[in-house]
Structures are given as structure tokens and as C-alpha cells.
């Protein structure tokens, strides 16, 4: 809170927060491998990639202005910073969850069997969203289950208790929980493809004042993703390093990647971002969030506006707080970085 | 041996320091032993050893021919020099404590008639030490002398076979002190107690005791003043008044101050 | 007059003691107003108006599922857990602390075990706790007990074993057995210290309660705080935390009162 | 011999004290073996072999980034945070505890504030803490300090203010000012109690350290525990927790030793 | 008024209980006032009030014509009845404490020559009370009498204008007690101290004091024994030996026990 607002000033040093998730591991790896420094130097800036062990806290810190950018899902970007009045731009659509989130039951193998059970999940998260979508598809009402808020750090051990007979989780926790005896995955995010997106978002004002930040981030991302996709020893080495950073084995990390639909090619990412389907997805996410009361105090689901490529908007156009900005991905696609 | 208590070759040492050296002592059942001696000579230490609170570094103590194992029990009662009573209970309950422990092994509390009887006994004892009016006070609300009397009442009510008293009347005025003398003499007679009392009042020692033990430092080595090794320098059995008077003079003379006293002081010793 | 001798009267003390707390509140309001002047939508330090709005929903609307007002339901659930946890911890402390404090062989045998349990951070071993005790109320209460009891036990053990040796000797000459010494000499004298230990444990007890409710729960003050933390809803978190502080201070005051009423000898100055 | 009188010699005490801890370890091994008999892949109670495997990687491989062995790097980082946190908390305790304990007006004024701070669960206000202090070392150390200092301060304040009034009076008749009473009468007598308070604070200090590392960190014992928790890698968590316990017990032993060496008058039985 | 200390209409009450009632007292500079009286009469309470440790429920105390405000300072030294010394420092440091506080306001510790000088003074004082050999002991390592002597040394080294002694020689044997009498008399003469001493030894009171005050209960109401309201029943100025002898007899007779004593006891009173 110094006199000149740091978010509208041109600056040279930026902090980007990240937390452990298969689709976000390229960030710390890029830092470790010197890719971050390479791109930052190119644009004459300095980027600190800071790990936050607790996902929620990383978003809180971003909302509070301690980070200029953060890795986040589309739903949390909408309901946390955007709904909190922080104008946020999603500049990289990294991947969508293609099975990285799932609903697990013990001693049952159909989603319909979830009826009447207590479901352990991180409430008001993408897990909650996935559960809502699953229930909808199974023809169940939200009141057919009772949710128990469970911290993401503890959900694996909580599910180990005989008390817990249903849970919703994401990877890497999901893969561990699935491995327990008598557990079946009855629904997962591959059945709602493209609805759970993993993003890199930055503060809109900062981005406007420092477009170089967006360029550097896009440059870092696509170089790293390209590297990790390689099937040679270099790519394998990169993936092994990421696995280690995530605290797991290369095999487990590869299996997590297999349920992550990475937009390795910037063109694909641009296409996905410009696809009208994104509007539909975000509408669904928004309506769910509003129903759950996540737009604090707002009178309608339209209260928080969203902007999409091609000047399309959703909700209140005078109060746009979340912008899907494809321009940096486009530059990467066109090799202009 | 017919001795109730028999100490042989007792030493008390603290590291390099020798406090008590080679004390041999036989105490008969029913004796009233007064122990006198200069401050710091080891009187309290000796009492603590007989009590079983401390174990001598050398030597053995036999009680009824049995070796004492560093444990004290209801056969030995004690009034400590720094009269310590239980701070968390009233004077009455402090006095009843011994009775309650004896009669209610499990709850250590009495009810109904047993309680009434114990209370009556305790009140009688408190009356004897002049604390009848103060029975509901906590120790912190009492004067020094009152606490000392409470400690006496607490120990006497159990009528222990051996009663160890460490300067029990130190904080009392002459009037109450005389009452206490009477009380202790009566209980000693009535219950055939064996009493060992430390006192710094030589007259008191000779008045009450049937035997007076003077403990004093054996060595005054300026190079090792802490290795004084006190022992019994006099051990006088008193059968009659003549014995008493002679003994008192002897002991008072031997325990006079070593520092040159001014005339004023000298005069007082003449009196003593 | 020297400061050591300036005794403050009861009523004045209440007033004086309130001043720094009020100043803290004022400092908060000042900082909040400053942040809001820069960014009217600031969420981190909400103004009282914002908190009132944030709380209104929880205070006046009933929950559809349970039909209860959320705020009171949260309070009740948390207080129940805390009360049971604190109660069990106190009971354990009394039993174990007395036995270990009075009986040297027991202290030698189990003292190190208590130390080991005391220094193991329970939140690191949650998985084992879940398997042993499930995910229900038991586990939450157990976490509180495991969190606070070892510290209390160690404190009471140290206190009891440090009682003047003369008292133990004296009790024995009065015929007291180990058991009688425990219940008549050690127990009553340990009580004021136990109440003191409970007061000191109140803070940690709330920490463990909140941690437990953060892990797996669907009601409770800690549950609500961690739920809305996702949205940085400090407008709910701060009133909730203030409420927790108020409850804890009330408990603290009650414990002080009990101690003064029931154990006057431990508080009366004497001479 | 009555149990109250059975004193255990130093060397025997160490042996006897080890027995329950060994039994606990045996119980663990028994339960783990039982679970593994049912499910050889059980992750919750790993067998020693599994733990050795789990730890091998952390113990023998160096981290590419730092070139250090992860286990030692974690240990060093955590110990540093803990040490600084504990040190600052102790310093605060000494300063504030003495001032509040000796000077009644200060106690009346700031005592309630300390109580309020003591009962506010710091983990409920983590967002504010991290925002105010950043995500670096400061915030982690601060969480430890805020977590343990208020309890310690309250304990020392109560202890100092409970020193026999005769001593304070006596010191004044000997010409001591409030300040001199503080440093010559209260301070040295509070030291053994301070060391006792530090010992009791060790457990909570580790809890707060781990909580802080769980949220924002990239190195440390707590970080590692929470990192591998996602995979239910009890084969790493349990050795780490055992290591934490060992470190804490070593610190505890050092504190006892310091207290006995430096303040013999507080430990010597006297009469 | 030329009185150094002037008490007027002093009352000490604990709730319903009246301990001291309407005490008026003027003490001249340089006086040596002995206070005697039965246990629990309020002697220590009176001393505490003069010390400033407690505030009387009614009445005023003037020191040099100034009202005493419930605070004690280096002008008044004290030896408490339960001789309390600082448990955490050695005998030597206990004795040096007063000097250190005076000479080093900030650190309350002395170094170099100042330390040496203070140490020499302290050692001299310890020697005077017979503790030269024990200067490195902690209080817990000392006997009762040694602690009492340490408390005396600690208070005397400051040479306070007014010295308040509450049964200072209670735990001492006759030899050392005589030494202490000599010491205190010498300091009183040399430094023109004003001394107020509580003692239960009437002979000591008359031997040392220039004035003897006998405090006793004013009422013995069986319905309200706690409202005794003690006051000065005798106040004797002593100029010569005849005064002393007469006074001693008077006070001893008036403070005799109220309970019927057995013959054994009676005899001792004759001696006293
Ligand atoms: N806090 C208190 N509550 C009630 N009574 C008290 C309290 N403090 C002291 N008293 C009473 O005050 C009276 C006087 O006590 P004080 O210590 O002055 O007696 P004393 O003359 O010094 O007796 P002693 O010679 O035994 O030391 C006693 O009867 C005692 O019970
Ligand atoms: N823990 C200890 N360390 C060193 N010396 C000690 C210890 N305890 C006692 N002493 C010494 O033992 C000696 C005897 O002490 P004790 O209390 O038996 O004396 P006392 O004869 O009762 O004297 P008093 O008449 O003054 O009470 C003293 O010189 C004392 O310094
Ligand atoms: Mg003695
Ligand atoms: Mg008195």
C-alpha cells in the first residue's frame, strides 16, 4: 500500500505462486532447469517462482496481492480472486483434467450407489463441482448425499478410515486412494472433458503495465512443455525431475500425466480458449458456484462478469473480473516471442 | 539388647564435608532425650536420620533390633524446626489428618460418628495447645507461634512411640511454652512415649529430659572448617534435681561463645 | 511509590486492562480503513460493516439441512468437542500426573514415555489416528486430548514431585500410605496448578480443535473458518476468531473464579 | 517400602524408562505385521524394511538443486526455524514475563492483552499472518513465536507474581529498586521455571513449525511430511516423526542439563 | 514532635477479626524497643505495619513527620520471623545484596575494586555472625540457625536507620545468641540505629531494650475470641539495672499461662 499503485507501475521483478499438481509441475522444473531465467533475462525482468504447499493459501496470497500470478483452476479463478473483486487474466490454459479428478466409492461400482452416503471432499472446490456434475448425470439430487469438508492434505488418510465410504479427490491423491482395496472410481473428469481447466492467471492491471511478464511466462511454459513431451532421454529426465519435485515416482507421475490433457501445442490452447464451448463450460461452473453461494452477496449469477476472446462476455459486462486472454498463447503459436 | 533405638558408628557427610562423625547411641524405651549443641552442629541432621528421612553415609540404625530402611512411619512422629503444616487445610483438618489416615485407609476421610469422634479428639488437642479459637484458620492466616503449636498438636494426636521434636517451642512466649512443657510431660507419662527433642534452651533441655546429649564439633581445623564431624561430647543421665543442676552448669559452660563478648553479654551468661 | 508496590484495585484493573485491547481494535480499524481507502474491495481487513454483512447470513438464516442457525450450531458443536476434550485431558492429567508425581518408580518408568508422546506432533500422524478412531467426533476429541494432555501431565507431574519433601515425610509420620498421600496431600495441592494448566491449555486446545475441524468435518467454528478461508472471507473469519477469543476468555475467567473460590489458601497472600 | 519412598537410581531410571517406549515400538511392529499379513501392500503401518527403503532415497541421494542430502537439508532448515522461533519466544517471555510479573500496574494493563493473544488460535488467522509477513522464513518463525510465546509468558508472569512477598519486601529494605528486584530477585529465580516452560513448549513448537511448513515452504521436515502425505507414504512420515521426536527429546535433555548445572539451588533437595 | 516514628490509633483487622486495636506509640530516634507478648497477639502484625508491608485498617503512622504510604525502603531493615533469605544465591551474595543494590543502580552487581570492598565488608559481617566458613553455601544447605544468622547479617550490613527484628535469635543456641546480642548492641551504639525487636524471651527483651512494650489481648470474650484487639498493656522505659529487674518481674508475672500448670511447670516459672 505505497503511494504509487505497484500494479499499474512498470516493474522488473515478479512473483508467481504455484502448488503441486501434475499439470503445474512444469513451472518449478522450468525454474530449476534455468528456463525461467532464460526468458526473464530476454525480457529484462526477474521472475520468482514460489512454491506454496497449500493450494488454497497460494490463491489467497495472490488475491491479497502478494503474488502477481498463480496457478489455479478455472472454477477457483472465478470464485476466489474474480468474485473477490480482483481483475484477473487467464493467460495460459495449460491443460484440462481428463481423469485427474474422480469420484470413489467403497464396496460399490456405480455412481448411483453414492445415494445416502457421506462424501468426503474439499467443499466448494472443483471436486464439489465434479460431484455436482456426476449427480446430475446419474439423475440424483444434491441433497441425496451429505458432504464432509476434508482438507486435501488429509483426504488420503481420511479415506483410509473405514468410516469414509465415498470421496471425491484429484491427483496425486486420487491415484493413491484408488489403489486401496475395494475402492472403485465410479466417475471422473474424463466424462466432462474440458470443464476443469488448469490455468496460469495474472493480475490484469499488472499485465497491462508489464506485457513482458505475459510474454515471458508464455515463453517459459511452451518451451518446458515441449521438453517434457519429448520421448527421448532429455524428456524423460525432465519428467523424472518433475516427479521428484512433486514428491512421487516417475511412473506415478507419468500415470498422472496420462489423465491430464496437456495443450502442448499453443495453437490447440488458443483454439480451446476461443471455442464457444468454453463459454458454456464457464456458465455451468458459474451457475454451480452461484448456487453454492460463492459469489458473496451477489444478487445474481451475472454479478461477476467474464470476458472471452473475440470480445464475448458472460454476465455483467460492466464488472468483468475474469478475462480469458489468448494473446500470449497466440504469440507463442505464431513464434513471436 | 533392650534399647529401642540403637545407632552405631553413624556418619553424615555432604561431599567432602563431614557433619556427623561416628555417633554411637542407644536409646531406651520411654526415655526423654534432649539434644543441645551449637547451631549448625548437626542436631537436625541426626533427627532426620532417626526419622528415616535421610540415610547416613556410614553406620547402622536399629529400631527394635530391626534395621531402619530409610523410611518413616506412624511409629515416629515429628515436629520440624521450620514448623511445616499442610498449607491447604484448616488447623482442625491438619490436626485430624493422622486420625483420618489411620481410620479410613481408602478415602482418608471420616464421616458420621467416626468423624465426630475424631473431631472431638482434635479439638481437645487444639485446646491443649491454645488454638481452640483458631481451628478454622488456614496456616497462612496464623502467626508463627500458632503454626508451631499446630505442628505440635498434629504430631501429638497420633501418640507415636517415638516423638522427634526439633526446637518445638522456639517461637513461643514463656507462658505458652510452660503450658506446652506441661502437655508434653503429661503425654510422655501417660502414653510411655520415647521423646527425642532438640532445643537450644539448656534449661528446657534439663528440665524436661531424662538424658541430655550435647552435640559439638570434634575438630576446629582452620584449613578444613567444614570437616568438623560433630559427635556427642556429653551424655548425661539425669535421675534427680541435683543431677540436673550440675549437668546444666557443665553444659552451659562448655557451650559458651568462642568470640570475646562485651561486658553486657558476659553479665547475661551469668544469669543463664 | 515504587512500581512493585503499586497495587491496582479490582475495578480499576478491569478498566486499565481493557485499554490495550481497545487500542488493538482501533489499530485494526485504522489499518482496515487505510486499506479500504486504497482499495474499497479489500478483503483482507474487512471493516465492521463488511463483517456485519458477512455474519448476517450465518446469524439470522437457518440452515436448510438442519433447520438451525449456522452460527449457533457451529458454536455448540465446537464447544461440545472442546469441552469433552478438555475434560478428558484434565482427567488424564489428574490421574497420571498424580501417580507419576507422587510415586518415583512410576515416574522413572512412564515419565520418558509421556515425554516422547508430548514431543510427537500429533498432526503428523493423523493417518494412524484416523484408522484407529475413525473420522467422527472421537477423532476430533482425541486430537485435542493428545494435543494438550501431555503438556498438562508433564506440568502437574513436575509440580507434584516438587512438593516439599517435608510434607510427604510428615504425612507418613502421620500414618498416610502412598495412596492417602496422593489423595489428601498431593491432589488438593495440585488442584490450583491444574486449573492454571487448564487455563494455559485453552489456547492450544482451540488450535487443535480448529485443526481437527479443518481436516474432516461438516460443522463447527473451525470448519466454517477453513471453509470460507478458500474465499479469503475475512469478514466471516475475523468475527469467528473474535468469538472464539471471547469464549476462551470467558472460560479462563470461570477457571480463575473456581480456583479462587475453591482453593482460597492458594491465593490468599498470607504473610 | 512404601512406593513414595522408592527412589530410583540414575542409571536404573534410564533402563526402566526405556521399557515402555520399547513396548510401544513392539506394539507398533506387531500391529504392522498383522496388517501386512492381511494386505502385504499396506501403506499405513509400514514395516522397518519398508521404512528403510522409503528413507534410502532421502538419506543417500543428493538433491540436484541444492547438492545437499534431502534429509539433512530438511533437518537443518527445520531446526533453524525452530531454534530461532524458540529463542525469540524465550526472549519475549523473559522480558514480558518479568515486567508483568514484577510490576502490578503493568500486569493489570497488559495481562488481559496477553490472555487475548494467547487464546486466539493463530492458525485461524494464517492468511493475515502470511500477508503481513510474506511467505518466507519470517512468517514461519512468527507462527512458532505466536503459537508458544503467550502460553510461556502467562506461565512466567504467574510464577513471578507468585514469588513470596517477603522476598520483594526484603529486597526493598535492602535498597533494591523495581528494576533491581526484576534482575536480581525475579530473573534468576524465574530461570529454572523458564527452562521448564521451554521444555513444555517444545511439543507445541514442533506442531506450529510443521503447520507453517505444511502451508508455505519448499524445505523442512514438516514440508516433507506434508508433501508425501498426498501419497500416504507412511514409510517416510513415520521415520521423520521418529526423528523429530528424537531431536525434541535431545533438546529436552539439554534443557534439563542446563537447568541442573546452572541452577543447582532449584534442584538440590535441601531439607 | 521529635519522635522518629509515631503511630496513632492503629487498628489491624481481618474481616470481622480485630487483631490490633487502638495502638498509640511514639518511638524516639536511637531507641531500642523490645516488644513482648503472647503468641498470636499481633506482634508481627505491628512490625509489618511499621515496615510498610501492610497498611493498617485504621490510624496513621508518621515517619519523621511524614505519612508512611505502605511502602518500605532502605531506611528500614528487617529480619522476618521465618528468617527468609534469597534461596538462589549463596550466603556471601545474600549478604552483599544490599551493597550491590546501593552502589550499582543499573546492574545491581559490582566489579573490580568495588566488588572487592563489598565482599570484604560482607565477609566481615558473616564472620561476625559465625558464618565465615559457610559463605559459599546456598540457604538450603544451611541449618535453621545458620539461615537465621544469615538473615541478620543481610539486614545489618545496610545499617538501616530503623531495624525491625522479629524473633531474630529464636533458633540460636545460647553461645551464639550471646554473640549476636553483643553484635547488635555494638552496631546500635556505633551507628545510632533505632531498633524494634519482637522477642518471646523476656530476659532478652529487658537486657537489650531501652524500652519494653508488652502487647496483650485486651478482651477475652468467649463469644468472640477472635475480636481480642491487642494493645500495649505495659510500656516501660528502662534507664538502669533496677528498672530492668523490676520490669522483668512485672511483665513475666503478667504474661504467665492461663491454663492450670502441673507442679513440674510451676517450678520452672519460679526459675524464669
Ligand atoms: N490473613 C489473616 N486472616 C485472619 N487472621 C489473620 C491473618 N493474618 C494474621 N491473622 C491473625 O492475626 C493475629 C496476629 O498475628 P501475628 O503474626 O501478628 O502474631 P504474633 O504476635 O507475631 O504471634 P507469634 O508470637 O506467634 O509470632 C493472629 O491471631 C492471626 O491469627
Ligand atoms: N545439602 C547440604 N550440603 C552441604 N551442607 C549441608 C547440607 N545440608 C546440611 N548441611 C550442613 O550440615 C550441618 C548441620 O546442619 P543441621 O541442620 O543438622 O544443624 P543443626 O545442628 O540443626 O543447627 P541449628 O541449631 O542451627 O538448626 C550444617 O553445617 C549445614 O551447613
Ligand atoms: Mg536444626
Ligand atoms: Mg510473630
Amino acid at each position: 500500500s505505497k503511494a504509487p499503485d505497484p500494479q499499474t507501475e512498470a516493474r522488473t521483478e515478479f512473483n508467481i505462486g504455484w502448488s503441486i499438481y501434475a499439470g503445474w509441475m512444469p513451472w518449478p522444473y522450468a525454474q530449476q532447469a534455468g528456463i525461467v531465467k532464460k526468458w526473464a533475462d530476454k525480457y529484462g525482468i526477474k521472475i520468482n517462482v514460489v512454491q506454496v504447499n497449500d493450494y488454497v493459501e497460494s490463491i489467497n496470497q495472490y488475491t491479497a496481492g502478494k503474488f502477481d500470478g498463480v496457478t489455479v483452476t478455472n472454477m477457483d479463478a472465478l470464485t476466489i480472486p474474480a468474485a473477490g473483486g480482483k481483475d484477473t487474466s487467464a493467460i495460459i490454459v495449460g491443460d484440462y483434467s481428463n481423469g485427474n479428478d474422480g469420484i470413489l466409492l467403497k464396496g460399490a461400482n456405480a455412481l448411483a450407489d453414492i445415494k445416502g452416503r457421506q462424501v468426503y471432499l474439499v467443499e466448494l472446490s472443483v471436486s464439489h463441482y465434479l460431484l455436482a456434475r456426476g449427480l446430475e448425470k446419474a439423475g440424483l439430487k444434491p441433497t441425496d448425499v451429505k458432504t464432509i469438508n476434508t482438507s486435501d492434505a488429509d483426504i488420503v488418510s481420511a479415506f483410509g478410515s473405514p468410516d469414509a465410504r465415498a470421496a471425491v479427490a484429484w491427483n496425486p491423491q486420487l491415484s493413491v486412494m484408488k489403489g486401496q482395496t475395494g475402492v472403485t472410481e465410479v466417475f471422473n473428469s474424463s466424462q466432462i472433458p474440458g470443464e476443469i481447466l488448469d490455468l496460469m492467471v495474472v493480475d490484469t492491471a499488472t499485465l497491462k503495465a508489464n506485457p513482458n511478464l505475459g510474454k515471458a511466462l508464455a515463453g517459459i511454459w511452451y518451451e518446458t512443455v515441449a521438453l517434457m513431451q519429448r520421448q527421448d532421454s532429455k524428456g524423460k529426465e525432465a519428467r523424472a525431475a518433475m516427479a521428484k519435485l512433486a514428491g512421487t515416482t516417475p511412473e506415478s507421475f507419468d500415470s498422472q500425466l496420462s489423465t491430464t490433457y496437456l495443450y502442448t501445442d499453443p495453437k490447440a490452447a488458443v483454439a480451446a480458449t476461443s471455442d464457444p464451448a468454453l463459454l458454456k463450460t464457464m456458465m455451468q461452473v458459474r451457475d454451480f458456484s452461484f448456487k453454492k453461494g460463492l459469489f458473496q452477496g451477489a444478487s445474481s449469477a451475472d454479478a461477476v462478469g467474464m470476458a472471452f476472446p473475440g470480445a464475448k462476455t458472460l454476465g455483467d459486462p460492466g464488472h468483468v473480473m475474469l478475462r480469458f486472454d489468448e494473446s500470449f498463447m497466440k504469440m507463442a503459436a505464431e513464434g513471436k516471442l | 539388647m533392650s534399647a529401642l533405638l540403637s545407632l552405631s558408628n553413624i556418619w553424615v557427610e555432604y561431599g567432602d564435608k563431614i557433619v556427623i562423625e561416628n555417633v554411637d547411641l542407644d536409646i531406651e524405651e520411654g526415655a526423654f532425650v534432649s539434644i543441645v549443641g551449637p547451631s549448625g552442629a548437626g542436631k537436625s541432621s541426626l533427627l532426620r536420620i532417626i526419622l528415616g528421612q535421610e540415610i547416613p553415609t556410614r553406620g547402622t540404625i536399629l529400631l527394635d533390633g530391626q534395621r531402619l530402611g530409610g523410611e518413616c512411619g506412624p511409629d515416629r512422629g515429628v515436629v520440624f524446626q521450620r514448623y511445616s503444616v499442610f498449607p491447604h487445610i484448616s488447623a482442625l483438618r491438619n490436626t485430624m489428618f493422622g486420625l483420618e489416615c489411620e481410620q479410613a485407609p481408602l478415602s482418608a476421610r471420616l464421616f458420621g460418628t467416626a468423624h465426630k469422634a475424631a473431631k472431638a479428639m482434635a479439638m481437645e488437642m487444639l485446646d491443649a495447645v491454645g488454638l481452640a479459637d483458631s481451628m478454622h484458620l488456614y496456616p497462612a492466616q496464623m502467626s508463627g507461634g500458632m503454626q508451631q503449636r499446630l505442628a505440635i498438636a498434629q504430631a501429638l494426636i497420633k501418640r507415636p512411640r517415638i516423638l522427634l521434636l526439633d526446637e518445638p517451642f522456639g517461637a513461643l512466649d514463656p507462658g505458652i511454652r510452660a503450658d506446652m512443657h506441661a502437655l508434653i510431660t503429661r503425654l510422655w507419662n501417660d502414653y510411655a512415649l520415647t521423646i527425642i527433642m532438640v532445643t537450644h534452651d539448656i534449661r528446657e533441655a534439663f528440665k524436661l529430659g531424662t538424658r541430655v546429649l550435647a552435640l559439638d564439633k570434634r575438630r576446629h581445623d582452620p584449613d578444613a572448617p567444614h570437616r568438623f564431624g560433630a559427635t556427642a561430647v556429653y551424655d548425661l543421665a539425669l535421675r534427680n534435681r541435683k543431677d540436673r543442676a550440675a549437668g546444666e552448669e557443665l553444659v552451659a559452660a562448655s557451650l559458651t561463645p568462642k568470640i570475646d563478648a562485651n561486658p553486657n553479654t558476659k553479665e547475661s551468661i551469668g544469669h543463664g | 511509590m515504587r512500581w512493585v508496590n503499586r497495587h491496582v484495585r479490582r475495578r480499576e484493573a478491569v478498566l486499565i486492562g481493557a485499554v490495550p485491547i481497545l487500542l488493538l481494535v482501533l489499530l485494526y480499524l485504522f489499518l482496515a480503513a487505510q486499506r479500504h481507502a486504497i482499495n474499497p474491495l479489500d478483503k483482507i481487513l474487512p471493516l465492521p460493516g463488511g463483517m456485519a454483512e458477512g455474519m448476517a447470513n450465518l446469524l439470522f438464516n437457518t440452515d436448510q439441512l438442519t433447520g438451525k442457525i449456522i452460527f449457533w450450531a457451529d458454536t455448540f458443536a465446537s464447544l461440545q468437542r472442546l469441552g469433552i476434550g478438555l475434560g478428558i485431558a484434565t482427567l488424564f492429567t489428574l490421574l497420571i500426573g498424580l501417580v507419576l508425581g507422587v510415586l518415583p518408580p512410576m515416574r522413572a518408568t512412564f515419565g520418558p514415555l509421556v515425554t516422547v508422546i508430548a514431543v510427537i506432533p500429533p498432526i503428523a500422524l493423523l493417518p494412524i489416528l484416523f484408522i484407529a478412531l475413525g473420522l467422527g467426533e472421537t477423532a476430533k476429541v482425541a486430537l485435542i486430548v493428545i494435543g494438550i494432555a501431555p503438556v498438562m501431565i508433564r506440568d502437574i507431574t513436575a509440580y507434584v514431585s516438587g512438593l516439599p519433601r517435608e510434607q510427604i515425610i510428615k504425612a507418613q509420620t502421620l500414618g498416610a500410605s502412598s495412596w492417602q498421600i496422593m489423595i489428601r496431600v498431593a491432589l488438593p495441592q495440585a488442584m490450583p496448578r491444574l486449573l492454571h494448566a487448564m487455563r494455559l491449555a485453552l489456547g492450544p486446545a482451540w488450535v487443535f480443535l480448529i485443526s481437527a475441524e479443518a481436516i474432516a468435518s461438516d460443522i463447527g467454528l473451525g470448519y466454517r473458518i477453513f471453509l470460507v478461508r478458500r474465499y479469503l472471507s475475512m469478514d466471516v473469519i475475523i468475527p469467528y476468531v473474535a468469538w472464539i477469543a471471547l469464549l476462551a476468555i470467558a472460560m479462563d475467567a470461570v477457571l480463575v473464579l473456581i480456583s479462587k473460590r475453591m482453593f482460597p489458601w492458594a491465593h490468599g497472600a498470607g504473610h
Side-chain angles (χ1 to χ4, degrees), chain B residues 60-82:
Chain B
T60 51
I61 309 180
L62 303 180
L63 173 64
D64 280 331
Q66 299 272 321
R67 232 185 140 109
L68 256 186
E71 187 169 47
C72 42
D75 51 348
R76 275 155 292 162
V78 69
V79 173
F80 286 114
Q81 183 169 11
R82 297 200 86 175

Side-chain angles (χ1 to χ4, degrees), chain B residues 87-88, chain C residues 93-94 96-103 107 150-165 167-168 182 185-197 259 263 265-267:
Chain B
H88 61 288
Chain C
T93 301
L94 211 52
I96 303 174
L98 273 186
V99 170
L100 297 197
V102 171
L103 310 177
R107 187 157 68 246
V151 175
M152 292 171 74
I153 290 173
R154 291 179 79 195
D155 192 42
I156 295 299
T157 302
Y159 176 76
V160 171
S161 70
L163 280 177
R165 221 177 122 56
Q167 283 192 20
I168 310 293
M182 213 144 35
V185 180
L187 172 69
Q189 291 195 70
M191 284 306 295
R193 177 71 170 243
L194 182 73
L195 288 171
H196 179 68
S259 189
F263 312 107
W265 51 268
H267 298 272

Side-chain angles (χ1 to χ4, degrees), chain A residues 57 123-124 146 163 296, chain C residues 135 217-218 223 229 231 233:
Chain A
E57 198 53 43
E123 281 188 358
L124 312 182
K146 186 170 182 322
D163 286 10
Q296 300 158 337
Chain C
L135 292 165
S217 177
D218 56 359
Y223 162 77
R229 184 173 81 101
Y231 304 102
S233 287

Side-chain angles (χ1 to χ4, degrees), chain B residues 40 43-45 81 166-167 198:
Chain B
K43 304 181 294 297
S44 300
S45 301
Q81 183 169 11
D166 199 349
E167 307 195 10
V198 171

Side-chain angles (χ1 to χ4, degrees), chain B residues 14 17 19 38-45 48 81 167 228:
Chain B
Y14 293 101
K17 185 171 187 168
V19 172
S39 168
K43 304 181 294 297
S44 300
S45 301
R48 275 197 296 272
Q81 183 169 11
E167 307 195 10
F228 51 78

Side-chain angles (χ1 to χ4, degrees), chain B:
Chain B
M1 285 272 314
S2 75
L4 171 67
L5 205 65
S6 156
L7 286 70
S8 56
N9 191 24
I10 294 292
W11 291 62
V12 174
E13 288 149 299
Y14 293 101
D16 184 33
K17 185 171 187 168
I18 305 175
V19 172
I20 290 182
E21 186 174 320
N22 194 14
V23 165
D24 287 297
L25 195 61
D26 283 319
I27 294 173
E28 321 279 294
E29 178 120 38
F32 194 133
V33 182
S34 300
I35 301 180
V36 296
S39 168
K43 304 181 294 297
S44 300
S45 301
L46 189 64
L47 231 52
R48 275 197 296 272
I49 280 171
I50 297 176
L51 179 61
Q53 180 182 355
E54 272 172 30
I55 298 171
T57 40
R58 290 188 239 174
T60 51
I61 309 180
L62 303 180
L63 173 64
D64 280 331
Q66 299 272 321
R67 232 185 140 109
L68 256 186
E71 187 169 47
C72 42
D75 51 348
R76 275 155 292 162
V78 69
V79 173
F80 286 114
Q81 183 169 11
R82 297 200 86 175
Y83 34 95
S84 55
V85 286
F86 297 117
H88 61 288
I89 42 182
S90 67
L92 179 65
R93 295 221 75 127
N94 257 296
T95 315
M96 286 169 69
F97 189 91
L99 303 176
E100 289 181 309
C101 283
E102 188 184 332
Q103 294 169 38
L106 224 67
S107 70
R109 278 169 197 283
L110 297 175
F111 302 95
T113 50
H115 180 262
K116 251 192 209 141
K119 190 171 166 183
M121 259 187 91
M123 278 171 55
E124 195 185 323
M125 188 52 83
L126 283 174
D127 197 36
V129 299
L131 288 178
D133 302 335
S134 309
M135 64 179 188
H136 293 305
L137 292 186
Y138 284 103
Q141 297 174 317
M142 296 175 132
S143 78
M146 289 161 80
Q147 290 184 44
Q148 196 168 42
R149 283 178 277 156
L150 177 56
I152 295 170
Q154 194 182 41
L156 287 184
I157 204 168
K158 288 284 291 182
R159 268 129 222 178
R161 265 181 85 196
I162 305 177
L163 186 58
L164 303 168
L165 305 171
D166 199 349
E167 307 195 10
F169 313 124
L172 301 180
D173 61 286
I176 290 178
R177 184 186 282 235
D179 291 351
M180 293 297 110
H181 286 176
L183 175 67
I184 210 104
T185 312
R186 179 163 60 79
L187 288 177
W188 173 58
N189 277 326
D190 292 358
Y191 296 93
L193 311 180
T194 306
I195 298 182
I196 305 174
M197 174 180 78
V198 171
T199 177
H200 45 75
D201 183 338
I202 294 172
R203 173 157 307 148
E204 186 175 82
F206 279 91
K207 180 183 144 197
L208 297 178
T210 57
R211 180 174 171 189
V212 174
L213 217 69
L215 215 65
D216 205 351
K217 311 188 178 187
R218 168 185 290 231
R219 270 183 301 277
H220 293 278
D221 180 351
D223 292 334
H226 56 286
R227 298 176 61 82
F228 51 78
T231 195
V233 291
Y234 290 102
D235 186 351
L236 308 170
L238 310 170
R239 265 136 314 185
N240 52 43
R241 187 176 299 195
K242 228 181 90 205
D243 272 9
R244 284 172 206 269
E248 191 173 335
E249 213 153 297
L250 180 69
V251 170
S254 91
L255 295 177
T256 41
K258 278 100 208 164
I259 309 170
D260 259 329
N262 70 14
N264 194 3
T265 318
K266 279 251 171 68
E267 181 186 1
S268 91
I269 298 167
H271 283 244

Side-chain angles (χ1 to χ4, degrees), chain A residues 62-63 76-88 304-305 319 321-322:
Chain A
Y62 165 74
T63 311
D76 294 320
L78 176 65
T79 57
I80 304 178
K86 187 170 177 89
D87 195 337
T88 295
V304 181
H319 188 66
M321 284 291 146
L322 180 62

